[in-house]
Amino acid sequence: MKLSEPVALNIRFPRLERLLLVPLLVAAAVAFPFVGQASPFPITTVLDVWLGLFAVTALCKGSILPGGVLAVLCVFTLTRIAGALITAAPILDFLQAYRWVAYLFVLVLAVGKEWTNRRGLIRVTWTLILLALCKAVITLVLLGPGERPGLLLENNFELALFCGLAAVVYRFLTGKHQFLMLACLGLLVVLSGSRSGVVAFFVLYVFAVAQSRLKVFAKYLSSLAVLAVAWVVVEVFLSRAGASGAIDRLNFLAVFLDETRNWGPLEWVLGTVAITPLSGAACRSLSYYESLFSSADDGTCYSVILHAFLLRVLFDSGILGLLLAFGGIFVLMRRAKVSRLLSLTLLGIAIANSASVSGPNNPYVLLPILLAILLAPVVPGALTGPHPWPSIRYSRPSRNSSRYPIRSG
């Protein structure tokens, strides 16, 4: 089947939708009072459990499985398992390094499914953004500048989630609500001081300008504002570098380059045998991050300690691994009929997050991509009303509509 052909299955699961939205609201409410502290709510574990439940439910209800992507994923997984058996790596370290592969299988199962509770998703998106913004302002007032507020968890992760969710629900908002959401997110990103967050917002802003219905002159002014946002990106990078004396991700890059200095073309293409530990010198130089050492507690460390997903996958799986990670995401979104612009936007947010932290290896980047796939069958419609949470007006094609032809298999 070609990427341009529509997918028709549209299996729905409203109970699972509530099982996702309710914990997100609970996590935000629990975390809000903890100013300057990490939230006690285990939201990452909850999201991973939900993704597992989604995968099982989708598999039981029947799925359209994109054969090409699925075959590549299965072959890649078998090679990684074989490599892990050769290196005798602890299973927990293996699962932590290759969680992104499991997420790709979840996306495969999502193709052809439909998310029905658009109103709930939009309300949760607004709630998360507004609570995070309020907590950021309170943190600034009580603790002063320099603190990095987080609502669900550390903001390198949650800002990718917020920007991704904003991109997914953007087409259901009216013009003024679109602008309001962008403004709130922009202010939140500036207060957070997160480099990956500000790049993710820049990608989101370009997405908003590219699909706006403004007149030519207004779009020109909006394009000029892109330069202003880019300037903010640069300022955040410079201020963070000046405050810490050095950007820690550059330290990880230095370790990575030292570990790969003797690599040949084959290693760059395929990476190391999964999962190969870093040298003792590399582990000692990154001893500050000892919490990311091997679960075996024997002083060894693996690519996870490099933080940046781009470096981690390059070390473990080479260029082919990166192509599978990001190319697989893009192909699956297009296969599900997610628009090209939204697909590129979510991919850009994932890459921005991957340059800093774990990218598609965490549920905060993965969840908006999954929701974009589930919302792809919905005909675009805008919210109407005087407040940010009005009812949704959209039209649904009939069962006999040629937009979603019935396909066998």
Side-chain angles (χ1 to χ4, degrees):
M1 177 179 287
K2 298 180 180 179
L3 293 182
S4 58
E5 294 180 0
V7 172
L9 194 58
N10 300 352
I11 293 175
R12 305 166 186 173
F13 27 73
R15 291 182 180 177
L16 264 182
E17 295 173 7
R18 290 192 291 272
L19 281 178
L20 173 64
L21 298 181
V22 172
L24 283 172
L25 292 176
V26 171
V30 169
F32 187 79
F34 289 84
V35 178
Q37 301 179 39
S39 170
F41 194 89
I43 185 61
T44 302
T45 302
V46 170
L47 291 180
D48 278 335
V49 170
W50 185 87
L51 289 170
L53 290 174
F54 171 85
V56 172
T57 304
L59 192 60
C60 292
K61 288 194 173 185
S63 294
I64 296 174
L65 302 178
V69 177
L70 185 61
V72 171
L73 270 178
C74 290
V75 172
F76 179 82
T77 302
L78 290 176
T79 62
R80 298 297 93 188
I81 293 175
L85 292 175
I86 293 173
T87 58
I91 187 171
L92 290 179
D93 296 295
F94 175 80
L95 294 176
Q96 184 178 14
Y98 288 100
R99 186 163 52 174
W100 62 273
V101 179
Y103 288 160
L104 280 180
F105 278 108
V106 174
L107 295 183
V108 167
L109 294 171
V111 175
K113 311 305 187 299
E114 182 179 350
W115 181 278
T116 59
N117 190 2
R118 268 76 72 181
R119 180 184 303 173
L121 178 61
I122 294 168
R123 288 178 173 175
V124 167
T125 301
W126 271 112
T127 301
L128 293 177
I129 293 173
L130 293 177
L131 283 179
L133 180 58
C134 290
K135 187 174 181 181
V137 173
I138 293 173
T139 302
L140 176 65
V141 172
L142 296 182
L143 303 181
E147 295 292 330
R148 300 186 66 184
L151 181 67
L152 301 177
L153 77 168
E154 202 267 329
N155 52 29
N156 276 330
F157 297 93
E158 68 178 22
L159 288 177
L161 172 65
F162 299 159
C163 289
L165 288 177
V168 170
V169 305
Y170 195 81
R171 63 176 174 149
F172 297 110
L173 305 178
T174 59
K176 66 177 182 180
H177 296 139
Q178 291 173 345
F179 173 80
L180 181 59
M181 183 171 286
L182 283 176
C184 291
L185 260 177
L187 181 56
L188 174 61
V189 165
V190 171
L191 292 175
S192 74
S194 168
R195 288 186 293 264
S196 64
V198 78
V199 176
F201 177 75
F202 178 76
V203 173
L204 174 64
Y205 186 82
V206 172
F207 162 78
V209 172
Q211 68 168 7
S212 66
R213 299 179 180 178
L214 301 175
K215 295 181 180 179
V216 176
F217 180 70
K219 185 169 286 192
Y220 170 73
L221 293 178
S222 298
S223 301
L224 291 180
V226 172
L227 298 178
V229 176
W231 175 79
V232 172
V233 173
V234 174
E235 285 297 311
V236 169
F237 270 74
L238 293 178
S239 64
R240 288 287 309 285
S244 60
I247 299 177
D248 52 2
R249 270 44 175 189
L250 294 182
N251 297 331
F252 300 136
L253 177 60
V255 171
F256 171 82
L257 293 176
D258 187 61
E259 292 291 290
T260 59
R261 65 184 183 280
N262 296 322
W263 276 18
L266 188 62
E267 286 88 354
W268 283 107
V269 173
L270 299 178
T272 59
V273 177
I275 170 173
T276 299
L278 274 64
S279 67
C283 295
R284 286 190 296 271
S285 67
L286 298 174
S287 59
Y288 178 78
Y289 304 95
E290 190 175 359
S291 61
L292 294 176
F293 277 18
S294 171
S295 59
D297 199 24
D298 57 0
T300 59
C301 63
Y302 298 97
S303 62
V304 172
I305 203 170
L306 298 174
H307 275 65
F309 181 79
L310 296 177
L311 301 182
R312 293 161 58 170
V313 176
L314 266 178
F315 187 84
D316 277 337
S317 307
I319 296 173
L320 286 181
L322 282 180
L323 290 177
L324 175 61
F326 296 111
I329 288 173
F330 182 77
V331 168
L332 288 170
M333 283 193 287
R334 295 295 294 139
R335 174 66 177 77
K337 295 297 292 176
V338 178
S339 72
R340 183 175 285 104
L341 182 58
L342 179 56
S343 298
L344 290 173
T345 299
L346 293 175
L347 192 65
I349 292 172
I351 293 174
N353 191 261
S354 299
S356 179
V357 285
S358 54
N361 208 57
N362 72 69
Y364 306 98
V365 168
L366 187 280
L367 186 59
I369 295 171
L370 175 65
L371 292 171
I373 291 175
L374 296 177
L375 280 165
V378 180
V379 176
L383 296 175
T384 57
H387 53 83
W389 294 335
S391 60
I392 300 174
R393 295 181 181 178
Y394 63 93
S395 58
R396 184 188 305 279
S398 67
R399 289 292 182 184
N400 298 323
S401 172
S402 61
R403 179 179 174 85
Y404 305 114
I406 302 299
R407 301 184 61 86
S408 61

